[in-house]
């Protein structure tokens, strides 16, 4: 197989030096470790198609890999060395940016930050962003339906992908880049590939939507007494404007941790509040109501009604950045508090306030000495729910023994609340067993039937998302 | 099978009187005619699951049917009487409307107009609407990914469906109604079922998004010289506001036909213009810039730049209605002009102006005496492209001989422009052969693999969308 690829695509398309392969055998957090005899690195869609055709002929499994920033081991090859890595990093052309149609076509290996720059250079914006924007690639972002901090208004990758080019498991190229706004010619292959984690096809390029560049923004910090009030406030805002792009909730203890551990941070409000919300409003129309004025107009009645206890609108861009720095430092400051079990979970938005309080209380009661709390994207029904180890507990003991039990317990609570054990990170290797344990049988049967229909020999990203690599399924 | 359903669900769930069955054997335009020994009419999701389980056990094909308003014969049973109709019309509960979360849960048999009313009663709006709103059901609208006149801002059903409950071909119930905003637990079954025309599962309920009720609207009529200018105008508007909900383009001859054949209509503008656009802008925030003022502010520079030749903003709700009446009368007035071949097609938005002119010229040249023109949803890249029969040609001769040739020719032009032969009506029976002829082989192979994986015995809506009813596919 390796020789066949070398013959078909040349030496540059095969990396088989162990030293060059090494960095790509592990996930970036160092939790998953794999092995492979070679990385295949084509530089075109046609090259990807040739490789997948050869893999089908030789019966060789392939693990697609972009920036290797998966949070769930989704791009790490199996440890037995049975699969080859298919790197998309050389497919790195931004084929075009069309500021009139508000569309861009980027190959799978294009890095998110580069797309941001290319859009900005044309007076447009690609609104999805996240911490790994300097490494994560468009192919990986689409394959995992990535989220991030600006989902509230523009949605996850699924909402921003207008078309997909992919190589299917039989080696044929699906070209959906034309980005038709209306197209009812049968099953939507693009939506099927988004979030499929490379198990149904390998995305080689995406057409993404752009939005107007930001003309003005305003950032507010609000103190309030409960997640319930926070959600009511969000609804009050959203019922009259769609300019709200971020609505991030955090408890007092998270703010305190930031103020204690992150240099040069200060509390935005003078008084003490049990909960805090950061709100960003954005205008793209320079002639429209300025976002600061909009927030003032909409927050005033909320304060008068007691929905919010106090609020301040950043008076300068520097102050706005300072507010955001608190939010962006939450993970770093939490690490300073010691080991924790972290969960990327979602429940229906309306249930999130109850869930945050009830699940934290249930965890605290069930695991004495631990401290549970959630923070994050309230408006998406998605928080990062962390359970911190009891003070003084050894990290090895926590991660080895207690944390997995805590995680199963949290996942049970999420499932009981009608939620998802993976809001934005996907399943990969990490959550495969939990998905199998908790998903409805109807859902698992359907996922398996789709996988068996499209990839009957289980050659694409084996061992991810679904435990299925047994050849064609029989009904 | 019929007896088994009667035993399981009672007499009310089986309609086998020929007189009662008769109206449901034909599509509403009278083009497709089928036969069946019985209509099965359960009144609950559990009942649908029982029927599909029995059908799988007995090997009996089922044709799901809602309001029977398909434009492509998608709900008409096969003529050989081999299938039973599965009517969803008794699943007609609106389970709840949540004006705070902006969500509603409606069963498959709920009629669109009833959902409109239920949303309005709570100060909200379900923004999708179309001519058949008094008959079309939510299950059918979701199964066909319906469009309509308000797609520009809020999208087709696909964008408005937040969750789906469906019975899969094995009789298991998929419950996706929780409407999680973020959920990355593998393949998106909801998106797979939207637009699948009942061939992969039977939708029994949907969670749909609501939007704020309309606080104010403004309707403008613009005269301009080309579809290209119309598209530039749309881009100019959309680059600074997202308040535009409709942007409907029509040629001078369409306006003339309305003025000639529809009583009590008058031209909105004094002068003659080659092309016309109807624009609607909507505000849901009573405190925001009034839409009439917004349109005035945005149209002024377009007029100054020569992009638009003339424009008028309706001065009253009555005048706004009069503008809309012209748009809504286009089909009726076209019928008065004689027989025509009608095509529901889309191309990428940027290509639509060229396509409208080039395709019309190509048709006129290829079929002497015919007259081709398009009108409709320019901003969606979707127009209704009509080719009128030569003056004096007999309708039977046109529909029997020439129209099918014209349609194939138009579909070839659409495909060459990277477009879709079904923008919003689906495939059903009518376009099945054309889809097979024109779709990329990779696409057809993937559609077949998905169908074979989920419905290996081809029991759900046989003969629609895909010509496949041969039992399990082999790889």
């Amino acid at each position: 197989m390796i020789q066949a690829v070398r013959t078909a695509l040349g030496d540059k398309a095969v990396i088989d030096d162990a030293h060059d392969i090494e960095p790509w055998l592990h996930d970036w957090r160092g939790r998953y470790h794999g092995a492979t005899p070679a990385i295949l690195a084509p530089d075109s869609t046609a090259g990807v198609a040739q490789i997948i055709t050869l893999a089908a002929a030789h019966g060789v499994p392939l693990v697609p890999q972009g920036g290797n920033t998966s949070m769930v081991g989704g791009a790490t090859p199996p440890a037995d060395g049975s699969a080859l890595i298919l790197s998309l990093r050389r497919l790195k052309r931004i084929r075009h940016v069309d500021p009139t149609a508000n569309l861009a076509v980027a190959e799978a290996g294009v890095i998110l930050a580069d797309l941001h720059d290319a859009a900005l250079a044309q007076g447009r914006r690609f609104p999805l962003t996240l911490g790994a924007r300097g490494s994560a690639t468009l192919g990986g972002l689409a394959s995992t339906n990535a989220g991030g901090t600006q989902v509230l208004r523009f949605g996850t990758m699924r909402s921003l992908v207008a078309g997909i080019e992919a190589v299917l498991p039989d080696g044929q190229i699906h070209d959906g880049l034309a980005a038709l706004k209306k197209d009812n010619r049968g099953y939507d292959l693009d939506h099927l590939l988004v979030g499929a984690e490379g198990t149904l096809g390998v995305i080689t390029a995406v057409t993404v939507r752009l939005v107007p560049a930001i003309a003005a923004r305003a950032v507010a910090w609000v103190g309030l007494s409960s997640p319930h009030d926070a959600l009511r406030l969000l609804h009050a805002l959203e019922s009259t404007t769609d300019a709200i792009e971020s609505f991030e909730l955090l408890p007092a203890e998270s703010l305190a941790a930031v103020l204690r551990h992150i240099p040069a941070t200060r509390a935005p409000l003078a008084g003490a509040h049990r909960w805090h919300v950061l709100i960003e409003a954005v205008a793209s129309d320079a002639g429209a109501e300025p976002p600061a004025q909009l927030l003032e107009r909409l927050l005033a009645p909320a304060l008068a009604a007691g929905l919010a206890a106090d609020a301040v609108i950043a008076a300068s861009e520097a102050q706005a950045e300072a507010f955001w720095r608190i939010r962006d430092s939450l993970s770093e400051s939490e690490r300073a508090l010691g080991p924790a079990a972290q969960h990327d979970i979602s429940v229906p938005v309306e249930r999130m306030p109850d869930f945050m309080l009830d699940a934290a209380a249930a965890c605290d009661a069930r695991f004495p000495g631990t401290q549970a709390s959630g923070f994050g994207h309230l408006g998406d029904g998605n928080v990062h729910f962390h359970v911190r180890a009891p003070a003084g507990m050894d990290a090895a003991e926590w991660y080895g023994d207690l944390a997995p039990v805590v995680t199963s317990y949290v996942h049970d609570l999420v499932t009981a609340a009608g939620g998802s054990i993976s809001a934005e990170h996907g399943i990969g290797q990490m959550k495969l067993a939990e998905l199998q344990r908790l998903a409805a049988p109807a859902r698992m049967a359907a996922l398996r039937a789709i996988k068996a229909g499209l990839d009957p020999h289980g050659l694409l990203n084996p061992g991810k998302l679904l435990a299925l690599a047994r050849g064609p399924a029989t009904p």
Side-chain angles (χ1 to χ4, degrees), chain A residues 72-358:
Chain A
V72 291
T76 307
D80 63 5
S82 61
L84 298 176
I85 291 175
L86 171 55
S87 169
L88 282 305
R89 284 182 293 278
R90 288 178 70 207
L91 276 76
K92 59 184 179 195
R93 282 191 311 139
I94 295 177
R95 294 188 192 164
H96 71 264
V97 176
D98 183 340
T100 310
N102 279 312
L103 295 171
V105 178
E107 293 184 347
V110 169
I111 288 170
L112 177 56
D114 292 339
L115 179 64
H116 287 156
D117 292 346
L120 260 186
Q122 306 266 354
R124 291 295 180 268
R125 176 166 63 124
F126 180 64
L128 185 135
T129 190
L130 37 68
R133 60 183 166 274
S135 309
T137 59
L138 268 292
L141 292 163
S143 290
T144 59
N145 185 24
T149 53
Q150 309 291 315
V151 170
L152 189 64
R153 183 169 181 188
F154 298 109
T156 62
M157 274 300 279
R158 185 178 297 287
S159 306
L160 294 167
V161 167
I164 279 184
E165 178 192 87
V167 181
L168 302 177
D170 62 1
Q172 292 198 77
I173 297 169
H174 159 65
D175 179 1
L177 293 178
L180 301 170
K181 288 198 177 180
K182 286 184 179 171
D183 182 12
N184 279 342
R185 288 177 296 172
Y187 319 142
D188 195 314
L189 298 182
D190 293 351
H191 273 292
L192 192 57
L193 291 164
V194 170
E197 305 187 17
T199 63
L200 298 181
V202 175
I203 294 175
T204 50
V206 289
T207 302
V208 293
R209 296 182 218 288
L210 306 178
V211 301
I214 295 174
R217 74 161 179 172
V219 178
W221 192 278
V222 179
L224 30 69
S225 59
S226 71
H228 299 80
D229 279 352
L231 187 57
R232 282 185 208 110
L233 175 61
L234 175 63
H235 287 318
L237 298 176
E238 290 194 324
S239 69
T240 51
T241 180
D242 50 14
I244 307 299
E245 294 209 356
S246 298
F247 193 93
E248 298 285 310
L249 176 69
L250 58 155
E253 58 267 29
S254 292
L255 174 60
V258 169
L259 300 178
R260 194 173 325 127
H261 294 287
I262 308 296
T265 50
R266 48 176 294 187
L269 296 171
H273 304 282
R274 184 69 198 87
W275 292 87
H276 297 260
V277 171
L278 179 155
I279 305 172
E280 179 166 303
V282 163
S284 53
D285 177 359
E289 182 178 15
Q293 185 181 318
L294 172 77
L295 282 182
E296 221 174 293
R297 176 164 71 83
L298 298 183
L299 286 174
L303 284 162
L307 206 56
D310 197 2
V312 56
I313 296 168
S316 65
E317 188 58 23
Q319 199 177 6
E321 287 290 342
F323 290 0
W324 264 113
R325 183 142 180 266
I326 294 171
R327 166 65 185 90
D328 290 339
S329 304
L330 285 175
S331 293
E332 190 186 336
S333 69
E334 294 246 328
R335 275 195 294 276
L337 300 178
Q342 305 181 351
H343 309 94
D344 158 46
I345 56 94
S346 66
V347 301
V349 177
E350 298 310 301
R351 292 200 200 172
M352 186 52 92
D354 278 346
F355 180 85
M356 291 178 79
L357 301 184
D358 296 349

Side-chain angles (χ1 to χ4, degrees), chain A residues 436-451:
Chain A
Q436 171 74 34
R437 181 173 76 86
L438 292 166
R443 175 170 188 78
M444 289 309 295
L447 298 191
R448 285 212 182 82
I450 294 164
K451 171 74 171 174

Side-chain angles (χ1 to χ4, degrees), chain A residues 379-390:
Chain A
D380 305 331
N382 168 212
V383 297
H384 303 287
F385 190 82
H386 292 188
V387 182
R388 288 200 294 280

